[in-house]
Amino acid sequence: MLKAPLGDDGLDGDPTAEELESGVATLLGKEAALFVPSATMGNLAAILAQTARQELVVTEASSHIYTAERGAATFTGAFYEPIAGAAGAMNLERLEQVLVEPPGRLKAALVCMETSHNNAGGTALPLEHMRQVHDLSRRHGASIHLDGARLFNAAVALRVVPAAIAACTDTVTICLSKGLSAPMGGVVAGTNAVIARARVIRKMLGGTQRQVGIAAAAGLVAINSMVARLEEDHRRASLLSGGLNAIAGLRANSPQTNIVQVDVSATGMDASLWVASLLSKGVLVRPWSRSLLRCVTHRHLSDVDVETAVQAFASVSRSAAAAARRTPSAGMQSADVG
Ligand SMILES: *Cc1c(COP(=O)(O)O)cnc(C)c1O
């Protein structure tokens, strides 16, 4: 980042941003790519570049684009149509229904997928499913976008090259600041024509930055040296899940990637109390719903850290059980969270 060659990305170009863009385009087998300040802006630019006002963006109901980004409809004028799914994969019959008979007779302009799927506990969509969504959408005249914020995690889990996943979509967004560890940024990739449009849109959104090579340099480290180590995060997530499932009252998913969701409903303690209790033992987790916790493994964690986390969970679980014995009806609500 200190030594990156810099230019003006809004004027005659920034050489480091250009290197990142062509590197990502090559990795994903796409003609062109565009560096954006966030994956959220990448998704927004992809939607704006491929839809018009009053058209439909069709997406799986628990996808990030639907649950966390559809406020963008107030800018795009697009209508977001959620499709029920299982493990992040849209129900294909329901998708076909919507494509054949779009609600309100709006045009279904864009179909979006997400892999690995954040809300589905980091599951990687099977390539066969992605191809089916692609073919179905194409047959009905819709473009296809992939929210691949965690695409590299999916590629590692499926043991395929990233381009094999990207081949199932017209456009794809990646996030550089999740498991890939860059401090910021995302990249959106696609055809020359669509990315040229996205570049104009990024300017309108205020996402064009002058000496952006400083940030792009970290993006280059992310794509060149962080992808190969994601496997470690996945192994540690499995280790964590195994450890947690051995603790009474906890139920964790068997992670395909680096996200472990823990169902705490059988412990008599809700997620926020679990978060506070674990925090007091130095373990950071996120509440995902009233009864679900979300843990993510990453570059800064070792096997020992995972073991420490499991011990913290076990200790909180023991105090929860003790509290339940003391006040059977009140559960853990009044227990010592220390
Ligand atoms: C994090 C995330 C995003 C947004 O990425 P930012 O770079 O934080 O804007 C989009 N989609 C998914 C699936 C994500 O996990």
Side-chain angles (χ1 to χ4, degrees):
M1 293 172 79
L2 274 172
K3 293 177 188 160
L6 303 177
D8 184 332
D9 200 32
L11 204 58
D12 49 357
D14 177 286
T16 308
E18 282 163 9
E19 188 183 343
L20 174 63
E21 289 169 349
S22 66
V24 171
T26 304
L27 256 178
L28 299 180
K30 297 297 185 199
E31 286 175 4
L34 178 71
F35 185 43
V36 280
S38 67
T40 301
M41 190 185 286
N43 285 335
L44 178 57
I47 289 169
L48 283 166
Q50 295 175 100
T51 63
R53 294 188 69 80
Q54 294 157 20
E55 292 185 343
L56 281 180
V57 172
V58 182
T59 183
E60 196 274 328
S62 66
S63 68
H64 198 274
I65 284 183
Y66 191 71
T67 61
E69 299 174 33
R70 77 180 184 278
T74 56
F75 312 119
T76 61
F79 189 90
Y80 287 61
E81 178 68 14
I83 304 284
M90 283 182 277
N91 178 303
L92 292 176
E93 278 172 29
R94 183 73 194 112
L95 173 62
E96 184 160 27
Q97 272 172 12
V98 164
L99 291 171
V100 170
E101 240 178 299
R105 304 195 182 181
L106 301 177
K107 180 185 172 195
L110 188 67
V111 175
C112 302
M113 290 181 273
E114 177 177 323
T115 198
S116 67
H117 196 290
N118 189 22
N119 266 321
T123 49
L125 294 179
L127 280 189
E128 184 50 33
H129 170 81
M130 294 190 72
R131 287 189 199 107
Q132 285 173 323
V133 171
H134 174 275
D135 293 352
L136 194 56
S137 308
R138 182 58 49 82
R139 220 178 306 135
H140 292 282
S143 299
I144 303 100
H145 174 67
L146 173 65
D147 179 355
R150 296 187 171 81
L151 179 146
F152 295 100
N153 291 94
V156 166
L158 296 175
R159 304 194 182 283
V160 299
V161 293
I165 295 176
C168 304
T169 75
D170 296 314
T171 49
V172 49
T173 300
I174 62 164
C175 180
L176 298 166
S177 66
K178 301 275 172 70
L180 296 187
S181 304
M184 58 173 286
V187 181
V188 54
T191 61
N192 284 324
V194 172
I195 295 305
R197 217 158 34 241
R199 194 173 286 277
V200 173
I201 290 161
R202 184 187 67 174
K203 174 92 177 158
M204 289 193 278
L205 294 172
T208 298
Q209 302 168 96
R210 261 171 281 286
Q211 297 82 353
V212 75
I214 296 169
L220 280 167
V221 176
I223 61 161
N224 291 329
S225 55
M226 291 296 155
V227 176
R229 60 154 308 285
L230 291 175
E231 183 87 62
E232 263 180 63
D233 296 341
H234 298 182
R235 183 180 62 74
R236 292 199 177 103
S238 288
L239 205 62
L240 178 64
S241 163
L244 298 183
N245 276 321
I247 297 170
L250 299 182
R251 228 163 8 99
N253 65 318
S254 300
Q256 265 185 292
T257 57
N258 65 333
I259 297 174
V260 179
Q261 289 184 342
V262 192
D263 184 338
V264 296
S265 51
T267 65
M269 256 171 79
D270 70 7
S272 60
L273 197 50
W274 266 97
V275 170
S277 307
L278 289 167
L279 180 62
S280 74
K281 297 178 187 307
V283 176
L284 288 167
V285 302
R286 263 184 87 174
W288 210 238
S289 71
R290 264 189 73 83
S291 59
L292 209 59
L293 302 174
R294 175 177 180 272
C295 312
V296 175
T297 53
H298 53 80
R299 182 167 62 92
H300 303 96
L301 297 180
S302 65
D303 288 357
V304 172
D305 293 323
V306 171
E307 186 48 38
T308 304
V310 170
Q311 294 305 332
F313 270 92
S315 156
V316 174
S317 164
R318 278 192 301 272
S319 2
R325 277 195 299 277
R326 279 200 302 275
T327 49
S329 55
M332 176 65 184
Q333 300 313 321
S334 60
D336 169 20
V337 298

